[in-house]
Amino acid sequence: MDRVPALQEPLKKVLGPATAKVMAEHLGLHTVGDLLHHYPRRYEERGQLTHLADLPMDEHVTVVAQVADARLHTFASAKAPRGKGQRLEVTITDGSGRLQLVFFGNGVHKPHKELLPGTRAMFAGKVSVFNRRLQLAHPAYELLRGDGEETVETWAGALIPLYPATAKLESWKIGKAVQTVLPSVQEALDPLPETLREGRGLLPLPEALLKIHRPHTKADIADARARLKWDEAFVLQVALARRRHADTQLAAVPRVPRPDGLLAAFDDRLPFTLTEGQQKVSQEIFTDLATAHPMHRLLQGEVGSGKTMVALRAMLAVVDAGGQAAMLAPTEVLAQQHHRSITEMMGELAEGGMLGGAEHATKVVLLTGSMGAAARRQALLDLVTGEAGIVIGTHALIEDKVQFHDLGLVVVDEQHRFGVEQRDALRGKAHSQGEKRSPHLLVMTATPIPRTVAMTVFGDLETSVLDQLPAGRSPIASHVVPAADKPHFLARAWERVREEVEAGHQAYVVCPRIGDEEDDPKKAGKKKSAEDEGEKRPPLAVLDVADQLARGPLKGLGVEVLHGRMHPDDKDAVMRRFAAGETDVLVATTVIEVGVNVPNATAMVIMDADRFGVSQLHQLRGRVGRGSAPGLCLLVTEIPEAGPARQRLAAVASTLDGFELSRIDLEQRREGDVLGQAQSGARSSLRVLEVIEDEEVIAEAREEAAAVVAADPELTGLPALRTALDALLDEEREQYLEKG
């Protein structure tokens, strides 16, 4: 253990303060270990040193040669009309032939000073032809001093590593810095248990680090990457496995529903039967709720697969067993929506303590930040006395003032908007018979997550998937409307909206922007510059589009707007009118993305659809086709057909399978963006591991990690693994696991 410090040595001691400062500020590298884990992005194959006499065209070559001659010319050009342009021509020779190098503009000063006749150097660049002569334009070069044999060999070996670099630090300067610290790799502590490493035929860590930075062959690179992927996957999975293990050590009150209680009464009132999927997932949840340690379950379900029904039955089971259930929603609109739909589903079962309430009834209260003082006081009182079995709210539920009588279950809607700190704050509110007990936890997400991402990001939760749509749900037809290529398609889209309304249905029109931002001169200024930089125009705005539609193609229909900056009461009033069928068309931002449920809405037109992500479009589309009439979703775009954005839209139009779409999304956008809100640390912590391609590695690492943690939860026998874990958790604690 006492050999750890070699890799913890600060870079400024090893490389000097100037280089270390640039590395810290621009690349986030502070220690020798950080630099050793800054892997090359790719490798340049320079082949052997090339003789000038047989240079291949259009290839990247490295030559060692002597400067024969250097001349500075001035010339006139569009950029330098008064003959102020500068061009440096350097002729080099290696005895077998001659080659011309050219440098232009500001790039001439350094080589003009350094490339004096007689100087030997290594030159690397792409060979081109100018005036029927071979030349290298703006080659990179490294001067050779002394006999330079060793330098020539290392610099022009078969594979030159190219590092993720910055304008302040070229790749080869990073390479030189790595060369300086490379001897320390011998002291790298190997986090993989020896049996695992040998059983899977993986390189020891020092050897893997040497081979990734100084490979001799492509096989070296492949072996090193395979080993380093395992490190990343395994250390992360151990962290998650320890979290799962710690959760199983917590105490919770087992909650078992009474056979003749609230849940049974609710099931009896249901006008339909649950899907097989809903029954299976409910069973998994009831099994978890009956144990003496807290459930931690992620419920993934397609938009409209009936997750709320499953969650409500879990809440009723807990109320039956004498506990309370809290449902956390990310926005007030959604909290109000859940409150409305749950009280409707429960009917008189939600009227506990009231005249007309059923025998087993409980009280369902709403708690949000914008409630009036009197209503809020009453809600808090109902919670602390246990009068309210179910509470639905926003972050307001987490505040200190909120006390529960006996909190047994927390349901979190739309996981990625809640961090673990909030989960823990709610957990802290669970007291049972005077002792601290953790509540059970059910996390719901309508964003389908590929299996590997679920294992990586939500690895501390058990996963249940609802993939069947309830009976009576209608298919949604989706089409791309190319407004620029075919304007008559857009005109037809508005006709389709009118037809739906005439048939007694309603429609949504979704826009990327609200449209009142221009009041702020600072923002207005910013907008312009974005346009100047080549953005064709600002995204379409709700207020403008609603106005144009009401005066134009949808004249005479009831058009209203809904967006996030409206007062909560106004938002609720708009939603109520739309839900009651008093409004024909709702023009909105993505506030309707989650949970808004109006079965009579059958059409959705998404303006500037290319400005939304794949999973967001899928979420939005799930708002239509929720009743018995078929849904229609029109994706309007001005992007030309060939672009990747159009391919994305075509993919969304072609399938209703959210898991398939989330996979396409990941492949197109890379992990960092997709996991964006789920865990912003993705980019920095996954260096060689790729969540989609390395599915097998992740799955195997998860099994190995579970076995290691089960055998030795404190990892006492694996000090190097503990060190690696501390490093991961220090570096990423806030961003990564804690977002789980």
Side-chain angles (χ1 to χ4, degrees), residues 434-450:
E435 6 171 356
K436 273 270 184 167
R437 299 284 183 98
S438 287
H440 298 280
L441 175 73
L442 179 66
V443 170
M444 300 198 296
T445 174
T447 311
I449 305 165

Side-chain angles (χ1 to χ4, degrees), residues 115-285:
L115 297 178
L116 304 170
T119 311
R120 284 186 80 226
M122 241 174 314
F123 302 92
K126 205 170 189 182
V127 183
S128 56
V129 168
F130 182 72
N131 279 348
R132 295 203 295 234
R133 288 169 62 192
L134 291 184
Q135 71 167 28
L136 294 182
H138 277 286
Y141 65 86
E142 180 86 331
L143 301 178
L144 298 176
R145 298 181 171 86
D147 69 350
E149 273 317 298
E150 187 258 348
T151 334
V152 172
E153 282 322 303
T154 51
W155 207 74
L159 293 158
I160 301 286
L162 292 185
Y163 291 89
T166 74
K168 295 260 191 298
L169 207 60
E170 293 98 348
S171 168
W172 67 36
K173 288 190 182 153
I174 298 172
K176 281 186 155 173
V178 169
Q179 190 70 28
T180 309
V181 301
L182 215 48
S184 312
V185 296
Q186 295 315 327
E187 314 221 352
L189 288 172
D190 201 325
L192 293 191
E194 206 161 321
T195 47
L196 186 159
R197 189 171 57 71
E198 287 174 355
R200 294 187 173 273
L202 298 167
L203 299 178
L205 182 59
E207 193 180 332
L209 288 170
L210 272 174
K211 284 185 168 170
I212 199 132
H213 289 295
R214 291 287 173 271
H216 292 298
T217 62
K218 284 187 172 169
D220 283 353
I221 299 170
D223 292 349
R225 287 178 70 89
R227 159 63 216 244
L228 295 167
K229 278 180 180 185
W230 256 93
D231 275 18
E232 280 178 24
F234 181 71
V235 174
L236 180 58
Q237 291 300 338
V238 166
L240 293 164
R242 287 188 73 189
R243 195 174 172 115
R244 287 196 302 276
H245 182 269
D247 287 340
T248 62
Q249 306 305 303
L250 296 171
V253 179
R255 311 280 179 177
V256 182
R258 298 205 306 277
D260 58 346
L262 187 56
L263 178 62
F266 175 76
D267 283 350
D268 288 345
R269 311 171 28 106
L270 281 181
F272 51 82
T273 51
L274 297 173
T275 64
E276 241 177 89
Q278 284 174 317
Q279 289 174 354
K280 179 175 142 289
V281 170
S282 288
Q283 207 37 64
E284 291 171 352
I285 291 171

Side-chain angles (χ1 to χ4, degrees), residues 352-583:
M354 298 185 215
L355 282 171
E359 174 199 352
H360 296 295
T362 185
K363 223 174 184 183
V364 179
V365 300
L366 177 68
L367 189 62
T368 62
S370 65
M371 278 168 80
R376 190 178 168 78
R377 254 199 315 277
Q378 184 59 52
L380 290 171
L381 188 65
D382 288 341
L383 284 182
V384 77
T385 58
E387 188 80 9
I390 293 177
V391 57
I392 294 156
T394 53
H395 289 73
L397 280 177
I398 298 169
E399 289 170 14
D400 292 345
K401 293 196 278 291
V402 182
Q403 291 303 325
F404 291 85
H405 175 63
D406 177 9
L407 179 61
L409 170 67
V410 177
V411 178
V412 178
D413 191 13
E414 284 305 304
Q415 155 71 10
H416 56 275
R417 312 192 182 195
F418 284 95
V420 121
E421 306 81 29
Q422 288 124 321
R423 262 168 38 185
D424 287 344
L426 253 177
R427 260 186 206 157
K429 295 184 179 297
H431 302 270
S432 184
Q433 293 88 41
E435 6 171 356
K436 273 270 184 167
R437 299 284 183 98
S438 287
H440 298 280
L441 175 73
L442 179 66
V443 170
M444 300 198 296
T445 174
T447 311
I449 305 165
R451 177 169 158 259
T452 44
V453 179
M455 286 192 295
T456 311
V457 184
F458 304 119
D460 60 328
L461 302 172
E462 298 299 327
T463 306
S464 293
V465 178
L466 275 177
D467 46 12
Q468 280 173 298
L469 289 188
R473 271 301 169 85
S474 310
I476 305 168
S478 307
H479 304 285
V480 178
V481 177
D485 316 348
K486 299 178 178 166
H488 59 285
F489 275 37
L490 184 58
R492 176 73 189 115
W494 301 127
E495 280 171 27
R496 281 292 288 114
V497 170
R498 289 195 90 98
E499 287 164 16
E500 289 297 315
V501 173
E502 278 156 19
H505 298 302
Q506 291 159 280
Y508 297 100
V509 176
V510 182
C511 306
R513 208 161 54 90
I514 296 174
D516 57 1
E517 299 91 340
E518 283 70 23
D519 307 345
D520 179 345
K522 277 193 224 132
K523 285 192 181 166
K526 274 188 196 156
K527 271 274 153 8
K528 266 191 194 60
S529 63
E531 282 175 68
D532 296 344
E533 282 166 25
E535 190 174 285
K536 303 172 301 307
R537 57 167 173 71
L540 291 170
V542 166
L543 301 177
D544 307 341
V545 169
D547 191 42
Q548 288 160 15
L549 291 176
R551 286 190 307 199
L554 302 185
K555 196 172 177 177
L557 301 186
V559 176
E560 286 212 67
V561 299
L562 178 70
H563 59 74
R565 276 213 286 279
M566 288 164 63
H567 187 279
D569 294 348
D570 298 341
K571 276 194 259 192
D572 202 39
V574 169
M575 268 322 298
R576 275 180 193 280
R577 286 195 292 275
F578 189 64
E582 293 162 27
T583 309

Side-chain angles (χ1 to χ4, degrees), residues 12-56:
K12 61 170 177 273
K13 277 193 174 169
V14 190
L15 303 174
T19 309
K21 185 168 184 250
V22 177
M23 287 199 168
E25 283 175 11
H26 294 274
L27 298 168
L29 308 175
H30 304 277
T31 64
V32 168
D34 292 345
L35 179 55
L36 287 173
H37 287 289
H38 184 71
Y39 308 134
R41 187 176 47 223
R42 59 191 175 86
Y43 300 84
E44 198 59 79
E45 286 190 75
R46 301 208 164 149
Q48 297 312 304
L49 290 176
T50 314
H51 285 298
L52 292 185
D54 29 74
L55 281 178

